[in-house]
């Protein structure tokens, strides 16, 4: 059992968007305090989770970096972050370098995967391969990736010269990427709990659309009838998929 648990924990990437924002339609409490964030990170680390996902727009890079440096984990933690959207940016090369340097300074450790946050920006990989080759040489970044929303966005990069990592949505009700060919070891599933909708039967924040409210209510009523734990069902559905190398989970 401990061996199985170890294998699963090595595949988990702890998402941190909820550390700096009130992300998640089931999140009724907003961002946690720094002390609570450190408790969460410490619990994750002690239970074998060494991978973390962040982004400049999440407001969590510096918090994650504080935890990493405070605990001397700079050479062990595996952190992914992102290139902010490049829309309306005239000098993208300078913008990317400035943001990488800010992220490295915030995190205090190397970057395992540098994802394009906006998949439309990833066309630059094909247009400027030498620039991105230099990025990988100039900074402690292991690989480049793209956070995608549609299978077509993977296909558009099929002939890219880089061995890209992809972060994509996948859960019980969104299986569009199941047959999409991606490089082994570079497949990161996200939205496995669909912002908490699949994992929590609690109230939804704000005034959600009637269709979403009804879906959420009926889904959890059916799980109760079948005596199925919603968190376990959503989690195990993804864990059992062999085409997924890593999967992001969020907590609040």
């Amino acid at each position: 059992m401990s061996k199985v648990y170890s294998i699963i924990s090595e595949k988990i990437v702890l998402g941190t968007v909820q550390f700096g924002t009130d992300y998640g339609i089931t999140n009724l409490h907003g961002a946690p305090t720094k002390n609570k964030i450190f408790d969460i990170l410490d619990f994750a680390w002690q239970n074998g989770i060494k991978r973390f996902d962040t982004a400049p727009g999440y407001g969590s890079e510096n918090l994650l970096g504080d935890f990493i440096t405070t605990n001397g984990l700079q050479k062990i933690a595996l952190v992914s972050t992102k290139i902010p959207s490049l829309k309306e940016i005239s000098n993208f090369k300078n913008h990317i370098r400035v943001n990488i340097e800010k992220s490295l300074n915030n995190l205090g450790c190397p970057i395992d995967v540098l994802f394009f946050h906006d998949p439309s920006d990833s066309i630059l990989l094909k247009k400027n391969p030498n620039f991105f080759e230099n990025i990988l040489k100039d900074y402690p970044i292991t690989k480049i990736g793209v956070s995608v929303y549609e299978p077509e966005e993977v296909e558009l990069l099929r002939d890219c010269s880089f061995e890209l990592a992809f972060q994509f949505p996948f859960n019980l009700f969104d299986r569009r990427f199941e047959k999409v060919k991606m490089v082994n070891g570079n497949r990161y599933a996200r939205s496995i709990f669909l912002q908490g909708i699949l994992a929590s039967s609690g109230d939804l924040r704000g005034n959600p659309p009637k269709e979403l409210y009804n879906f959420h209510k009926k889904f959890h009523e059916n799980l109760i009838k079948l005596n199925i734990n919603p968190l376990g069902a959503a989690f195990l559905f993804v864990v059992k998929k062999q085409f997924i190398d890593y999967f992001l989970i969020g907590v609040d």
Side-chain angles (χ1 to χ4, degrees):
M1 183 66 180
S2 59
K3 183 178 180 181
V4 173
Y5 179 82
S6 176
I7 292 172
I8 292 175
S9 65
E10 290 174 1
K11 293 166 70 74
I12 294 175
V13 181
L14 184 65
T16 64
V17 62
Q18 69 283 357
F19 291 170
T21 70
D22 58 354
Y23 178 81
I25 195 169
T26 61
N27 179 3
L28 306 179
H29 307 291
T33 65
K34 183 175 181 179
N35 286 339
K36 177 58 69 175
I37 290 169
F38 269 44
D39 287 344
I40 293 170
L41 291 170
D42 184 65
F43 181 84
W45 188 268
Q46 295 302 323
N47 284 276
I49 297 173
K50 313 296 184 186
R51 297 179 182 273
F52 305 91
D53 178 79
T54 183
Y58 295 171
S60 59
E61 276 190 341
N62 58 335
L63 291 165
L64 181 58
D66 282 352
F67 175 80
I68 289 170
T69 54
T70 297
N71 291 279
L73 308 177
Q74 297 93 324
K75 295 183 179 180
I76 312 171
L78 297 167
V79 180
S80 299
T81 191
K82 301 176 180 71
I83 300 170
S85 175
L86 300 173
K87 288 179 180 177
E88 301 181 4
I89 299 297
S90 56
N91 188 344
F92 77 87
K93 293 182 179 179
N94 180 67
H95 189 73
I96 288 174
R97 285 187 176 273
V98 167
N99 276 280
I100 288 173
E101 289 164 9
K102 285 182 180 178
S103 291
L104 288 169
N105 183 62
N106 285 335
L107 295 168
C109 70
I111 295 170
D112 185 42
V113 187
L114 179 67
F115 287 100
F116 280 92
H117 214 157
D118 185 339
S120 65
D121 293 333
S122 62
I123 192 66
L124 295 172
L125 289 166
K126 297 170 72 172
K127 293 182 177 180
N128 303 271
N130 291 338
F131 169 72
F132 289 99
E133 287 174 3
N134 288 330
I135 287 293
L136 291 173
K137 292 177 183 177
D138 295 343
Y139 299 104
I141 300 171
T142 303
K143 68 183 78 167
I144 293 175
V146 185
S147 180
V148 296
Y149 297 86
E150 304 291 341
E152 293 77 12
E153 292 163 344
V154 176
E155 297 302 330
L156 287 173
L157 294 166
R158 189 65 67 197
D159 58 347
C160 177
S161 59
F162 295 90
E163 189 176 274
L164 298 174
F166 286 101
Q167 199 181 98
F168 54 91
F170 188 81
N171 54 63
L172 278 164
F173 293 94
D174 186 354
R175 310 180 190 184
R176 293 169 299 146
F177 285 85
E178 194 157 16
K179 302 298 182 181
V180 177
K181 185 178 179 181
M182 292 172 276
V183 176
N184 290 355
N186 288 346
R187 302 164 296 188
Y188 295 74
R190 68 168 188 272
S191 299
I192 70 169
F193 300 139
L194 202 58
Q195 291 197 30
I197 290 174
L198 303 181
S200 173
S201 60
D203 294 335
L204 302 183
R205 191 179 65 197
N207 297 304
K210 184 177 180 180
E211 294 80 1
L212 179 59
Y213 174 84
N214 290 337
F215 164 77
H216 179 252
K217 181 180 179 181
K218 185 174 182 180
F219 174 69
H220 286 280
E221 285 177 346
N222 287 333
L223 290 183
I224 290 172
K225 290 178 182 178
L226 296 170
N227 196 29
I228 295 175
N229 178 278
L231 181 62
F235 184 77
L236 289 175
F237 175 77
V238 176
V239 169
K240 292 180 178 180
K241 298 297 180 181
Q242 294 185 356
F243 82 96
I244 293 173
D245 300 304
Y246 306 102
F247 47 88
L248 281 70
I249 63 171
V251 295
D252 56 30

